[in-house]
Amino acid sequence: VAMASLGQTANGFDKELVFAAVPVASTAGAIAISGPVSATAFTAATQSTFAGGAITVMPSTTGSGQLLINAGGALSAGNLFAANAINLRSAVSIQAGSVLSQNGTATFAAPTISTGAVQSASGISVSGQTVTTGNLGASAGSIDATGTQTITTGSVLSQNGTATFVSPTINLGAVQAAGGVSISGQTVTTGSLATNGGSVRAIGTQ
Protein backbone atom coordinates (compact mmCIF):
# COMPACT_ATOMS: atom_id res chain seq x y z
CA VAL A 1 0.00 0.00 0.00
CA ALA A 2 1.57 3.30 -1.11
CA MET A 3 1.22 6.55 0.83
CA ALA A 4 0.08 8.39 -2.27
CA SER A 5 -2.72 5.90 -2.95
CA LEU A 6 -4.13 6.75 0.49
CA GLY A 7 -3.82 10.49 -0.04
CA GLN A 8 -0.99 10.73 2.47
CA THR A 9 2.43 12.34 2.54
CA ALA A 10 5.50 11.73 4.69
CA ASN A 11 4.47 14.66 6.90
CA GLY A 12 1.65 13.63 9.24
CA PHE A 13 1.31 10.14 7.73
CA ASP A 14 -1.50 8.10 9.36
CA LYS A 15 -0.23 4.52 9.79
CA GLU A 16 -3.72 3.27 10.74
CA LEU A 17 -4.80 3.60 7.11
CA VAL A 18 -2.11 1.11 6.12
CA PHE A 19 -3.14 -1.38 8.81
CA ALA A 20 -6.77 -1.19 7.65
CA ALA A 21 -6.04 -1.44 3.91
CA VAL A 22 -6.75 -4.61 1.90
CA PRO A 23 -3.43 -6.45 1.51
CA VAL A 24 -1.92 -7.28 -1.85
CA ALA A 25 -2.23 -10.84 -3.13
CA SER A 26 0.15 -13.39 -1.68
CA THR A 27 3.48 -13.83 -3.43
CA ALA A 28 6.22 -16.45 -3.35
CA GLY A 29 8.38 -14.51 -0.90
CA ALA A 30 8.72 -15.64 2.71
CA ILE A 31 7.66 -13.35 5.58
CA ALA A 32 9.88 -13.08 8.67
CA ILE A 33 9.21 -10.65 11.53
CA SER A 34 11.97 -10.56 14.14
CA GLY A 35 10.16 -8.68 16.90
CA PRO A 36 6.70 -8.28 18.44
CA VAL A 37 3.84 -6.70 16.46
CA SER A 38 1.15 -4.37 17.78
CA ALA A 39 -1.57 -3.26 15.36
CA THR A 40 -5.28 -2.56 14.91
CA ALA A 41 -5.53 -5.28 12.24
CA PHE A 42 -3.02 -7.83 10.98
CA THR A 43 -3.16 -9.76 7.70
CA ALA A 44 -0.30 -11.73 6.15
CA ALA A 45 -0.44 -13.87 3.03
CA THR A 46 2.43 -15.74 1.40
CA GLN A 47 2.96 -18.80 -0.74
CA SER A 48 6.10 -19.46 1.30
CA THR A 49 6.80 -19.49 5.07
CA PHE A 50 5.66 -17.10 7.77
CA ALA A 51 7.79 -16.63 10.91
CA GLY A 52 6.86 -14.11 13.58
CA GLY A 53 6.93 -13.41 17.28
CA ALA A 54 4.15 -12.19 19.54
CA ILE A 55 1.29 -10.38 17.78
CA THR A 56 -1.26 -8.16 19.54
CA VAL A 57 -4.24 -6.76 17.63
CA MET A 58 -6.69 -4.22 19.08
CA PRO A 59 -9.38 -2.57 16.91
CA SER A 60 -9.74 1.10 16.08
CA THR A 61 -12.03 3.19 13.89
CA THR A 62 -10.02 2.02 10.88
CA GLY A 63 -8.78 -1.39 12.06
CA SER A 64 -10.89 -4.57 12.33
CA GLY A 65 -9.13 -6.07 15.34
CA GLN A 66 -8.68 -9.31 13.37
CA LEU A 67 -5.53 -11.42 13.00
CA LEU A 68 -5.33 -13.40 9.74
CA ILE A 69 -2.34 -15.38 8.43
CA ASN A 70 -2.33 -17.63 5.37
CA ALA A 71 0.93 -19.37 4.45
CA GLY A 72 1.79 -21.83 1.75
CA GLY A 73 4.75 -23.01 3.83
CA ALA A 74 5.26 -23.47 7.55
CA LEU A 75 3.64 -20.89 9.84
CA SER A 76 5.29 -20.13 13.18
CA ALA A 77 4.46 -17.40 15.69
CA GLY A 78 4.69 -16.54 19.37
CA ASN A 79 1.75 -15.70 21.62
CA LEU A 80 -1.21 -14.30 19.68
CA PHE A 81 -3.91 -11.94 20.94
CA ALA A 82 -6.71 -10.35 18.92
CA ALA A 83 -9.82 -8.50 20.04
CA ASN A 84 -11.75 -10.20 17.24
CA ALA A 85 -11.25 -13.25 15.02
CA ILE A 86 -7.99 -15.17 14.68
CA ASN A 87 -7.59 -17.28 11.54
CA LEU A 88 -4.39 -19.25 10.89
CA ARG A 89 -3.97 -21.41 7.78
CA SER A 90 -0.97 -23.20 6.35
CA ALA A 91 -0.41 -25.84 3.68
CA VAL A 92 2.37 -27.35 5.84
CA SER A 93 2.21 -26.64 9.59
CA ILE A 94 1.17 -24.18 12.30
CA GLN A 95 3.23 -23.65 15.44
CA ALA A 96 2.19 -20.95 17.92
CA GLY A 97 2.27 -20.10 21.59
CA SER A 98 -0.90 -19.24 23.48
CA VAL A 99 -3.79 -17.92 21.37
CA LEU A 100 -6.55 -15.62 22.63
CA SER A 101 -9.46 -14.25 20.60
CA GLN A 102 -11.19 -11.90 23.01
CA ASN A 103 -14.49 -11.44 21.15
CA GLY A 104 -14.29 -13.62 18.04
CA THR A 105 -13.53 -17.12 16.82
CA ALA A 106 -10.20 -18.95 16.63
CA THR A 107 -9.69 -21.04 13.49
CA PHE A 108 -6.72 -23.25 12.59
CA ALA A 109 -6.20 -25.36 9.46
CA ALA A 110 -2.97 -27.16 8.54
CA PRO A 111 -1.66 -30.72 8.22
CA THR A 112 0.34 -30.36 11.46
CA ILE A 113 -0.86 -28.03 14.24
CA SER A 114 0.91 -27.36 17.53
CA THR A 115 -0.20 -24.53 19.84
CA GLY A 116 -0.32 -23.58 23.47
CA ALA A 117 -3.59 -22.87 25.22
CA VAL A 118 -6.37 -21.51 22.98
CA GLN A 119 -9.14 -19.25 24.34
CA SER A 120 -11.98 -17.76 22.34
CA ALA A 121 -15.25 -15.97 23.00
CA SER A 122 -17.15 -17.31 19.99
CA GLY A 123 -15.77 -20.78 19.34
CA ILE A 124 -12.72 -22.76 18.25
CA SER A 125 -12.31 -24.74 15.03
CA VAL A 126 -9.24 -26.91 14.40
CA SER A 127 -8.66 -29.08 11.34
CA GLY A 128 -5.52 -31.02 10.45
CA GLN A 129 -3.78 -34.36 10.31
CA THR A 130 -1.87 -34.21 13.60
CA VAL A 131 -3.27 -31.71 16.12
CA THR A 132 -1.60 -30.88 19.45
CA THR A 133 -2.81 -28.05 21.68
CA GLY A 134 -2.82 -26.91 25.27
CA ASN A 135 -6.09 -26.27 27.08
CA LEU A 136 -9.04 -25.22 24.92
CA GLY A 137 -11.68 -22.79 26.18
CA ALA A 138 -14.67 -21.06 24.59
CA SER A 139 -16.97 -18.80 26.59
CA ALA A 140 -19.83 -18.70 24.06
CA GLY A 141 -19.33 -20.87 20.98
CA SER A 142 -18.53 -24.52 20.39
CA ILE A 143 -15.19 -26.30 20.15
CA ASP A 144 -14.68 -28.54 17.11
CA ALA A 145 -11.51 -30.45 16.25
CA THR A 146 -10.92 -32.86 13.38
CA GLY A 147 -7.71 -34.79 12.81
CA THR A 148 -7.06 -37.40 10.16
CA GLN A 149 -4.36 -38.97 12.38
CA THR A 150 -4.16 -37.73 15.98
CA ILE A 151 -5.69 -35.10 18.30
CA THR A 152 -4.02 -34.34 21.64
CA THR A 153 -5.23 -31.53 23.92
CA GLY A 154 -5.21 -30.40 27.51
CA SER A 155 -8.49 -29.74 29.30
CA VAL A 156 -11.48 -28.58 27.24
CA LEU A 157 -14.21 -26.17 28.39
CA SER A 158 -17.11 -24.92 26.26
CA GLN A 159 -19.22 -22.81 28.61
CA ASN A 160 -22.25 -22.43 26.32
CA GLY A 161 -21.65 -24.70 23.33
CA THR A 162 -20.68 -28.23 22.39
CA ALA A 163 -17.32 -29.99 22.20
CA THR A 164 -16.75 -32.32 19.23
CA PHE A 165 -13.62 -34.34 18.41
CA VAL A 166 -13.15 -36.69 15.45
CA SER A 167 -9.86 -38.51 14.75
CA PRO A 168 -8.48 -42.05 14.63
CA THR A 169 -6.47 -41.40 17.82
CA ILE A 170 -7.75 -38.97 20.46
CA ASN A 171 -6.05 -37.99 23.73
CA LEU A 172 -7.88 -35.36 25.77
CA GLY A 173 -7.78 -33.94 29.26
CA ALA A 174 -11.01 -33.33 31.15
CA VAL A 175 -13.84 -32.22 28.84
CA GLN A 176 -16.82 -30.09 29.92
CA ALA A 177 -19.35 -28.62 27.50
CA ALA A 178 -22.73 -27.12 28.31
CA GLY A 179 -24.34 -28.31 25.07
CA GLY A 180 -22.89 -31.81 24.98
CA VAL A 181 -19.72 -33.77 24.26
CA SER A 182 -19.12 -35.93 21.17
CA ILE A 183 -15.88 -37.91 20.73
CA SER A 184 -15.37 -40.37 17.88
CA GLY A 185 -12.21 -42.30 17.03
CA GLN A 186 -10.51 -45.66 16.91
CA THR A 187 -8.52 -45.19 20.12
CA VAL A 188 -9.94 -42.65 22.60
CA THR A 189 -8.36 -41.58 25.91
CA THR A 190 -9.88 -38.76 27.98
CA GLY A 191 -10.09 -37.30 31.43
CA SER A 192 -13.49 -36.72 33.04
CA LEU A 193 -16.44 -35.89 30.75
CA ALA A 194 -19.26 -33.56 31.81
CA THR A 195 -22.16 -31.61 30.33
CA ASN A 196 -24.74 -29.35 31.93
CA GLY A 197 -27.65 -29.88 29.54
CA GLY A 198 -26.56 -32.03 26.59
CA SER A 199 -25.44 -35.62 26.16
CA VAL A 200 -22.04 -37.32 26.26
CA ARG A 201 -21.20 -39.54 23.29
CA ALA A 202 -17.83 -41.29 23.15
CA ILE A 203 -17.05 -43.94 20.52
CA GLY A 204 -13.85 -45.95 20.17
CA THR A 205 -13.79 -48.58 17.45
CA GLN A 206 -10.67 -50.41 18.65
Side-chain angles (χ1 to χ4, degrees):
V1 179
M3 290 190 296
S5 68
L6 297 173
Q8 302 286 299
T9 65
N11 296 323
F13 177 67
D14 185 0
K15 65 182 185 302
E16 300 298 338
L17 295 174
V18 175
F19 293 142
V22 176
V24 297
S26 63
T27 62
I31 298 174
I33 303 173
S34 60
V37 174
S38 179
T40 60
F42 184 90
T43 301
T46 175
Q47 296 173 21
S48 184
T49 60
F50 176 93
I55 302 175
T56 301
V57 180
M58 293 295 293
S60 70
T61 55
T62 57
S64 67
Q66 297 184 2
L67 194 166
L68 312 173
I69 304 174
N70 191 336
L75 187 167
S76 62
N79 297 335
L80 304 177
F81 171 89
N84 295 315
I86 295 176
N87 192 321
L88 306 181
R89 298 181 182 274
S90 168
V92 177
S93 63
I94 294 171
Q95 182 174 0
S98 62
V99 179
L100 172 58
S101 173
Q102 189 176 40
N103 299 304
T105 57
T107 303
F108 309 83
T112 301
I113 299 172
S114 178
T115 74
V118 180
Q119 301 260 346
S120 169
S122 300
I124 298 170
S125 176
V126 185
S127 177
Q129 295 177 2
T130 302
V131 175
T132 305
T133 75
N135 298 339
L136 301 177
S139 57
S142 296
I143 298 173
D144 299 296
T146 302
T148 58
Q149 295 179 3
T150 304
I151 295 175
T152 302
T153 76
S155 62
V156 179
L157 174 61
S158 176
Q159 295 182 29
N160 291 290
T162 60
T164 303
F165 298 87
V166 179
S167 181
T169 302
I170 300 175
N171 300 287
L172 309 175
V175 181
Q176 181 176 350
V181 177
S182 177
I183 303 170
S184 180
Q186 295 177 1
T187 303
V188 175
T189 304
T190 77
S192 60
L193 303 176
T195 179
N196 296 333
S199 62
V200 173
R201 177 179 179 268
I203 298 175
T205 59
Q206 288 186 356

